[in-house]
Amino acid sequence: MPDIKLLNIVGARPQIIKASAISRAISNFYADKITEILVHTGQHYDKELSGVFFDELEIHKPDYNLGVGSARHGRQTSMMITGIEDILLKERPDCVILYGDTNSTLAGALAASKLHFPVIHIEAGLRSFNKNMPEELNRIMSDHSSTLLFAPTNAAFKNLMHEGFRPENAPPYTLDNPKIYLSGDIMYDNTLFFAQLAEKKRAAILNELSVKRDNFILVTIHREVNTDNIVRLEAILTTLKSLSEEFLIKFIMPLHPRTIISLKTRLERLYNELLACKHITIVPPVSFLEMTLLEKTSKFIITDSGGVQKESHFFRKPCLVLRKETEWIELVNNGTAVLVDADPEKIRNEFRRFMNDGSDLEYPGFYGDGKTAEFILKEIMMMF
Ligand code: UD1
Ligand code: UDP
């Protein structure tokens, strides 16, 4: 087996978490065969959205941090492309691994494919069929700049086939002859690996937040369509506040900074009411072990996050999804996730339903066997 140099690109919170699954599998199975270089674009820079994951998940510190920070989409993405291109020319890796659908993913895809470095896309093929979402454009363009595409679900694999990718392609794989795989989801690997550790190390978070197991609702909101549209954000939070008062159940809300910024600057009165409400606890983003523990011990989950929707399923919890559509369509078809959009009526009805009963729901294994990272690395090694 040859020695290969693999360059990982991360930038946003979920990508750092995802990269930890690949890093762990490299250490376990290919430590003497793969040299890993980690590039952080700096898209996320607050300790709660970045540094905490490196410490807690024991990932080695980035070899490069481009420090691009926050900016409009074009500006942010272009700064990343410039920085990544320089690093690629210096390091000349054998391949580049990209995760998910953020601007950091897109920048990596464009920089690497134009320089003819093979791109490996993990979480390929997901589609919301809503091109108003920045992530949807990032997904499509990243997939079509990739040589190996690892689809986490059947639906994602089928989406790639509909876009012309052919499962029968034979090696050698290139940008014009790419290979698609149904691989499972590396986030399921992570949940299996970290769930027990979370109990051991961070169960104290329940006391710190004054909640009891199965007796609180976990909420996250960060999607652009909700944070930047004040009508939607107000409708969601006003409805959740009234439900917390009606059911006398605690809502724990680790909110992304962009949600807090919108609340403080554009919905100040509602923000103060939420802070004063004794059933609602707004906290800064929590660490992955804390989040894992909160997901595992919540009654159910309300979110617009992609990752949190799936983790809800991993922990056998129903999920209200604050969006019109989702890429994780199997959850909706299965009835464990419900698209409530920002519609007060839908949120109320589904909330009541899950408060009263959710025991008839089933949680099939849609996301692989928990060894997806190992599978991905084996296939990458076969390419060389
Ligand atoms: C990004 C991804 C989104 C992903 C999310 C994960 C894109 C287009 N979006 O969204 O797909 O679901 O990450 O969390 O790539 N900010 C801070 N501190 C930080 C980073 C950001 O306060 O460390 C604030 C800034 O006001 C910034 C805003 O959050 O303008 C948005 O950050 P950005 O990285 O552009 O997008 P996210 O909403 O984080
Ligand atoms: N997450 C976390 N702390 C939080 C909120 C989320 O560790 O306060 C984790 C969550 O468990 C999941 C990932 O971040 O693994 C999801 O990231 P996010 O919701 O930011 O983005 P998305 O998945 O929607 O792209």
Side-chain angles (χ1 to χ4, degrees), residues 14 43-46 70 102-103 135 222-223 256-258 261:
Q43 177 171 351
H44 283 177
Y45 43 86
D46 284 347
S70 305
T102 73
N103 288 351
E135 293 85 355
H222 79 282
R223 198 66 56 203
H256 188 293
R258 79 181 296 171
I261 292 169

Side-chain angles (χ1 to χ4, degrees), residues 161-181:
M161 288 201 286
H162 287 150
E163 288 176 23
F165 289 93
R166 297 185 319 176
E168 65 273 18
N169 282 1
Y173 302 123
T174 63
L175 197 46
D176 287 315
N177 181 46
K179 174 69 177 169
I180 58 173
Y181 300 89

Side-chain angles (χ1 to χ4, degrees), residues 10-21 23-24 38 40 44-62 187 190 194 197 254 256-257 284-292 295 308 311:
V10 300
R13 161 170 71 189
Q15 296 172 312
I16 303 167
I17 301 170
K18 286 166 199 169
S20 79
S23 283
R24 205 166 52 248
L38 186 60
H40 190 328
H44 283 177
Y45 43 86
D46 284 347
K47 172 122 179 85
E48 295 88 4
L49 290 182
S50 176
V52 67
F53 302 105
F54 288 94
D55 298 340
E56 184 175 78
L57 308 183
E58 291 177 15
I59 319 167
H60 75 268
K61 294 276 177 287
M187 284 308 289
N190 270 340
F194 288 113
L197 210 62
H256 188 293
V286 293
S287 77
F288 185 63
L289 288 185
E290 291 168 340
M291 188 64 182
T292 300
E295 289 168 341
V308 178
E311 287 162 2

Side-chain angles (χ1 to χ4, degrees), residues 95-123:
C95 59
V96 174
I97 298 198
L98 305 174
Y99 303 87
D101 54 16
T102 73
N103 288 351
S104 299
T105 318
L106 175 63
L110 292 177
S113 61
K114 292 219 169 186
L115 288 174
H116 313 297
F117 291 102
V119 170
I120 293 157
H121 189 200
I122 297 184
E123 248 190 34

Side-chain angles (χ1 to χ4, degrees), residues 228-242:
D228 293 16
N229 181 329
I230 292 311
V231 177
R232 287 179 65 94
L233 190 59
E234 185 169 22
I236 292 167
L237 287 169
T238 309
T239 309
L240 297 187
K241 180 171 173 290
S242 76

